[in-house]
Amino acid sequence: MLSFTEENYLKSLFQLTVESNEKVEAGTNEIAAHLGVKPASANDMLKKLKDKKLIHYEKYGKSTLTKEGRKYALEIVRKHRLWETFLYEKLEFSWDEVHEVAEQLEHIQSKKLIDKLDKFLNYPEVDPHGDAIPNAKGELEISQRKSLLEEEIGHACKMVGVKDNSAAFLQYVDSIGLSINQIIRIKAREEFDDLLEIEVNGKKNRVSPKFAENIIITCSECNRLRKN
Amino acid sequence: MLSFTEENYLKSLFQLTVESNEKVEAGTNEIAAHLGVKPASANDMLKKLKDKKLIHYEKYGKSTLTKEGRKYALEIVRKHRLWETFLYEKLEFSWDEVHEVAEQLEHIQSKKLIDKLDKFLNYPEVDPHGDAIPNAKGELEISQRKSLLEEEIGHACKMVGVKDNSAAFLQYVDSIGLSINQIIRIKAREEFDDLLEIEVNGKKNRVSPKFAENIIITCSECNRLRKN
DNA sequence: TATAATTGTTAGGCTAATCTAACAAATTTA
DNA sequence: TAAATTTGTTAGATTAGCCTAACAATTATA
Ligand SMILES: [Mn+2]
Ligand SMILES: [Mn+2]
Ligand SMILES: [Mn+2]
Ligand SMILES: [Mn+2]
């Protein structure tokens, strides 16, 4: 049985590697920053998790999850996202409130609880932020995702999530009329300042590259091409 | 903010005093036994909780909750019993499975979560074991309860709870056809060995005093008398 | 009421998870 | 490639919560 803290380290490493588009391994400082602890603390824990064969770690090297570590991480991610879905769908929590509470609920230990919750929610595939929920076998559907910034001009895509989960950003997103499953069409990119002109529900908006980078989308037009 | 452990001590003290029929204060060894720790550990914590003004404690004396401590204890009890109700009513948990998981869920910190859960469950008054659930203001309805052992011969009473929460006992209870809100009629008391003859759903059974002592009931016949 | 049994306390240690401060390795930059 | 910067490690301390072993106070019993 893993401690609350060990679980949080595995989840962080999962997010920084498996679920990251840029990297497949993470450095000690990076992990520490992600968890809000000092590098010395993270270093201690990395050695401990290596001893438990949950991560690959070598002195002065980058870290990754072992198969076993990934299994645990997926369980935590599954719990986190199912609880978020529960709070959103059943308890009238708003989009930007669910994460904080799910950070606690994800550590409740009961196989039966999480499988019954899954059933109660009718086996949802994505959480309120559009992130995929691992199934009971720990399989995570990897859909072809990218940020709005990377989308082709002229394409219509579907918003499936966000990268930044801060309440401030989520409220900004709401204010533009964006939400999960919303269709976004890229009209143009402004040469002068790189702002993207997008259309949401027939309404035009200009968004910054920083904003666009934090909106996750899938594009069926691009996916179709990619298949070949 | 109280720690997980501090919360458990307050809850134990609540159960051993406020919710006990025998005593209104608890000794160090008793508290330790209830929590499954050594008296030395409990002693440390009692001193700490006294410093925080959550309990009344004097060296070599018995302990009780302060007003402030009772407030926290009631919150934890409220959360515990609401979660038990959720597991039982919404997730198809059985009567004897809910307690263990609720021991974990009772420590989740979110005022909004628990109030929304209360609403979702339609403001239940008792948990699956028949124990009263404190309301959002921390008020606990004290109904006139006693054990089956104390009931008058000839009276019909209603089962509202159990004292022993062990899975073994709960399964025994089930096997006799007993459950919450079940009507029990006391037919007779056997002079020879003190067994109680009861009738449940038209079926007769003999139960031991030890068994009867662990079944909590209310009796409207007795209550009516008591009102005057 | 003296002795025995019970109950409660203290001192000193242990572990998990954190920190700071000093240092060492690796990488970047000039 | 040497120096500077960044990144990672170590040693030593701290805190919460627990333990054992020794002891002290209280209560029950002879
Ligand atoms: Mn989240
Ligand atoms: Mn967490
Ligand atoms: Mn319970
Ligand atoms: Mn608890």
Side-chain angles (χ1 to χ4, degrees):
Chain A
M1 179 114 315
L2 300 177
S3 72
F4 189 104
T5 309
E6 289 169 326
E7 289 194 344
N8 282 340
Y9 274 88
L10 292 180
K11 188 178 61 145
S12 268
L13 194 49
F14 183 83
Q15 290 167 350
L16 292 171
T17 60
V18 182
E19 283 202 324
S20 155
N21 297 309
E22 299 115 39
K23 282 169 271 100
V24 294
E25 51 181 23
T28 304
N29 287 4
E30 196 184 353
I31 295 166
H34 196 252
L35 282 159
V37 299
K38 300 291 166 178
S41 309
N43 187 265
D44 284 348
M45 183 58 85
L46 292 177
K47 286 190 281 189
K48 187 170 147 196
L49 292 174
K50 180 206 164 91
D51 286 348
K52 291 194 173 189
K53 301 201 193 311
L54 296 171
I55 71 169
H56 299 294
Y57 161 80
E58 295 302 334
K59 223 187 196 185
Y60 293 106
K62 306 287 179 185
S63 299
T64 55
L65 291 167
T66 62
K67 195 153 210 167
E68 181 79 351
R70 196 160 51 248
K71 203 195 78 193
Y72 281 111
L74 276 161
E75 278 175 22
I76 302 157
V77 168
R78 170 170 158 79
K79 289 194 273 183
H80 181 98
R81 292 178 184 168
L82 282 174
W83 280 117
E84 284 191 341
T85 306
F86 170 72
L87 296 172
Y88 185 77
E89 307 246 310
K90 304 291 183 181
L91 298 194
E92 309 178 279
F93 272 63
S94 67
W95 199 33
D96 54 310
E97 293 172 319
V98 298
H99 182 78
E100 187 191 341
V101 182
E103 285 290 313
Q104 299 178 61
L105 287 163
E106 71 189 2
H107 300 290
I108 302 293
Q109 303 287 351
S110 167
K111 177 100 177 63
K112 176 161 188 171
L113 170 60
I114 209 63
D115 289 343
K116 288 288 189 180
L117 185 65
D118 196 14
K119 182 181 177 193
F120 184 61
L121 298 171
N122 213 238
Y123 307 105
E125 293 183 347
V126 292
D127 75 11
H129 309 107
D131 295 314
I133 299 173
N135 67 20
K137 290 179 207 144
E139 296 160 345
L140 184 62
E141 172 230 341
I142 304 290
S143 60
Q144 197 54 62
R145 288 151 178 246
K146 55 188 177 184
S147 81
L148 182 59
L149 191 59
E150 301 162 89
E151 177 60 311
E152 306 278 324
I153 309 297
H155 278 194
C157 57
K158 189 175 75 169
M159 171 167 170
V160 294
V162 292
K163 280 185 193 169
D164 183 338
N165 271 291
S166 69
F169 180 67
L170 295 178
Q171 281 160 15
Y172 188 9
V173 169
D174 269 338
S175 75
I176 286 180
L178 276 174
S179 60
I180 294 297
N181 292 328
Q182 183 62 254
I183 303 299
I184 307 170
R185 181 169 289 280
I186 319 281
K187 308 295 282 186
R189 182 187 310 272
E190 202 64 65
E191 285 290 302
F192 178 65
D193 53 11
D194 280 334
L195 290 200
L196 277 185
E197 192 179 321
I198 63 174
E199 190 181 298
V200 178
N201 251 340
K203 219 179 118 224
K204 288 206 186 74
N205 258 297
R206 252 184 273 276
V207 299
S208 70
K210 183 176 176 189
F211 182 95
E213 214 217 303
N214 282 286
I215 301 288
I216 304 170
I217 54 118
T218 56
C219 175
S220 50
E221 296 178 71
C222 293
N223 279 345
R224 219 171 293 133
L225 291 174
R226 205 169 306 247
K227 262 189 189 162
N228 304 324
Chain B
M1 180 114 313
L2 300 178
S3 74
F4 189 103
T5 309
E6 289 168 326
E7 289 194 344
N8 282 340
Y9 275 87
L10 292 180
K11 188 177 60 141
S12 268
L13 195 49
F14 183 83
Q15 289 167 352
L16 292 171
T17 59
V18 182
E19 284 203 321
S20 156
N21 297 310
E22 298 114 42
K23 284 170 269 97
V24 294
E25 51 181 22
T28 304
N29 287 6
E30 195 184 354
I31 295 166
H34 196 252
L35 281 159
V37 299
K38 299 291 165 180
S41 308
N43 187 266
D44 284 348
M45 184 57 85
L46 292 177
K47 286 190 280 188
K48 189 170 146 195
L49 292 174
K50 182 206 163 92
D51 287 347
K52 291 193 172 190
K53 300 199 191 315
L54 296 171
I55 70 169
H56 298 294
Y57 161 80
E58 295 302 334
K59 225 188 197 184
Y60 292 106
K62 308 286 180 185
S63 300
T64 55
L65 291 167
T66 61
K67 195 153 210 166
E68 181 79 352
R70 196 160 50 248
K71 204 196 77 193
Y72 281 112
L74 276 161
E75 278 175 21
I76 303 157
V77 168
R78 170 171 159 79
K79 289 195 274 182
H80 182 97
R81 293 178 183 168
L82 280 175
W83 280 117
E84 284 191 341
T85 305
F86 169 72
L87 296 172
Y88 184 77
E89 306 247 310
K90 304 291 182 181
L91 300 194
E92 309 177 282
F93 273 62
S94 67
W95 199 32
D96 54 309
E97 293 172 319
V98 299
H99 182 77
E100 188 190 339
V101 182
E103 285 290 312
Q104 299 178 61
L105 287 162
E106 72 190 2
H107 301 289
I108 303 294
Q109 302 289 349
S110 167
K111 177 100 178 63
K112 177 161 188 171
L113 170 60
I114 209 63
D115 289 343
K116 287 289 190 178
L117 185 64
D118 195 15
K119 182 181 178 191
F120 184 61
L121 298 170
N122 212 237
Y123 307 104
E125 293 183 347
V126 291
D127 75 11
H129 308 108
D131 296 314
I133 300 174
N135 69 18
K137 290 180 207 143
E139 296 159 346
L140 184 60
E141 174 232 339
I142 304 291
S143 61
Q144 197 54 60
R145 287 151 178 246
K146 55 187 176 186
S147 82
L148 183 58
L149 191 59
E150 302 162 89
E151 177 61 310
E152 306 280 324
I153 310 296
H155 278 193
C157 57
K158 190 175 74 169
M159 170 166 171
V160 294
V162 292
K163 280 185 193 168
D164 183 338
N165 272 291
S166 71
F169 179 68
L170 296 178
Q171 281 160 16
Y172 188 9
V173 169
D174 269 338
S175 75
I176 287 182
L178 276 174
S179 59
I180 293 296
N181 291 327
Q182 183 62 251
I183 303 299
I184 307 170
R185 181 170 288 280
I186 319 281
K187 309 294 283 185
R189 183 187 309 274
E190 203 64 66
E191 284 290 302
F192 178 67
D193 54 10
D194 280 336
L195 291 200
L196 277 185
E197 194 181 320
I198 62 174
E199 191 181 297
V200 177
N201 251 339
K203 220 179 116 221
K204 288 206 186 72
N205 258 296
R206 252 185 272 277
V207 298
S208 69
K210 183 177 177 189
F211 182 95
E213 214 216 304
N214 282 285
I215 301 289
I216 305 169
I217 54 119
T218 56
C219 175
S220 49
E221 296 177 69
C222 294
N223 279 345
R224 219 171 295 130
L225 290 174
R226 204 172 303 250
K227 259 185 190 164
N228 306 326

